[in-house]
């Protein structure tokens, strides 16, 4: 396991053999099982919570670009090969317990661009993506 820590006061809690790469900057990672995972996190106060008995057969690639993002994967979930991308601040991806995710899946918590009201310059497209049991 390669951990690249570019920030201060970062926290990584894991309870299993590790493989993959974690690149962190001011974030908290809590996991009972981290195998076949690559994290790339550019931001602060992001949380990654992976519950017990999560099985990743091929690869989970997670990218967080922003602050206060959150990824939660519930217990007994099986993942074959997935890219999860959380762009922009305050976005979340939450996968419930006992879920299965197939091969070559992309889950995005943002469409990577804003929709701004011309009159008020207010962003009107904030959303969260959930797959809960």
């Amino acid at each position: 396991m390669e951990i690249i820590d570019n920030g201060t006061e970062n926290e990584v809690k894991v309870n299993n053999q590790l493989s993959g790469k974690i690149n962190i900057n001011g974030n908290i990672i809590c996991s009972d099982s981290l195998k076949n995972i690559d994290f790339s996190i550019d931001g602060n106060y992001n949380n990654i919570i992976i519950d017990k008995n999560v099985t990743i057969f091929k690869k989970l690639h997670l990218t967080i670009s922003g602050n206060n993002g959150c990824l939660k994967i519930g217990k007994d979930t099986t993942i074959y090969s997935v890219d999860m991308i959380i762009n922009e601040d305050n976005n979340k991806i939450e996968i419930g317990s006992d879920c299965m995710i197939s091969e070559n899946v992309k889950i995005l918590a943002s469409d990577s661009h804003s929709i701004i009201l011309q009159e008020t310059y207010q962003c009107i497209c904030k959303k969260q993506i959930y797959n809960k049991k």
Side-chain angles (χ1 to χ4, degrees):
M1 170 59 69
E2 176 185 2
I3 299 177
I4 302 167
D5 187 349
N6 296 319
T8 59
E9 297 184 34
N10 295 313
E11 185 175 351
V12 178
K13 297 179 183 178
V14 294
N15 297 323
N16 208 337
Q17 290 183 343
L18 305 176
S19 65
K21 177 175 68 174
I22 300 175
N23 185 347
I24 60 175
N25 180 14
N27 304 283
I28 299 173
I29 300 169
C30 302
S31 175
D32 186 59
S33 57
L34 280 179
K35 292 184 178 181
N36 302 322
I37 301 176
D38 286 334
F39 294 118
S40 178
I41 305 168
D42 183 15
N44 294 301
Y45 309 108
N46 295 296
N47 291 289
I48 299 169
I49 302 160
I50 301 174
D51 212 335
K52 295 181 180 182
N53 299 320
V54 171
T55 302
I56 300 167
F57 284 104
K58 192 172 178 184
K59 181 67 73 176
L60 165 62
H61 180 80
L62 171 66
T63 301
I64 299 178
S65 298
N67 300 310
N68 300 309
C70 183
L71 168 67
K72 293 182 182 180
I73 301 176
K75 68 180 182 174
D76 301 316
T77 291
T78 302
I79 295 171
Y80 191 83
S81 173
V82 67
D83 291 331
M84 294 186 186
I85 301 169
I86 301 173
N87 286 333
E88 302 172 357
D89 294 343
N90 304 308
N91 276 334
K92 176 194 279 190
I93 295 174
E94 185 172 348
I95 309 296
S97 296
D98 200 31
C99 294
M100 292 184 99
I101 300 176
S102 185
E103 186 174 13
N104 298 322
V105 173
K106 285 192 177 194
I107 300 174
L108 306 171
S110 171
D111 57 8
S112 299
H113 66 83
S114 298
I115 300 173
I116 307 293
L117 286 176
Q118 187 174 10
E119 299 82 21
T120 63
Y121 299 103
Q122 177 184 11
C123 179
I124 61 171
C125 61
K126 291 290 182 186
K127 59 186 170 277
Q128 295 177 341
I129 299 170
Y130 295 97
N131 177 8
K132 294 176 117 176
K133 182 176 181 181

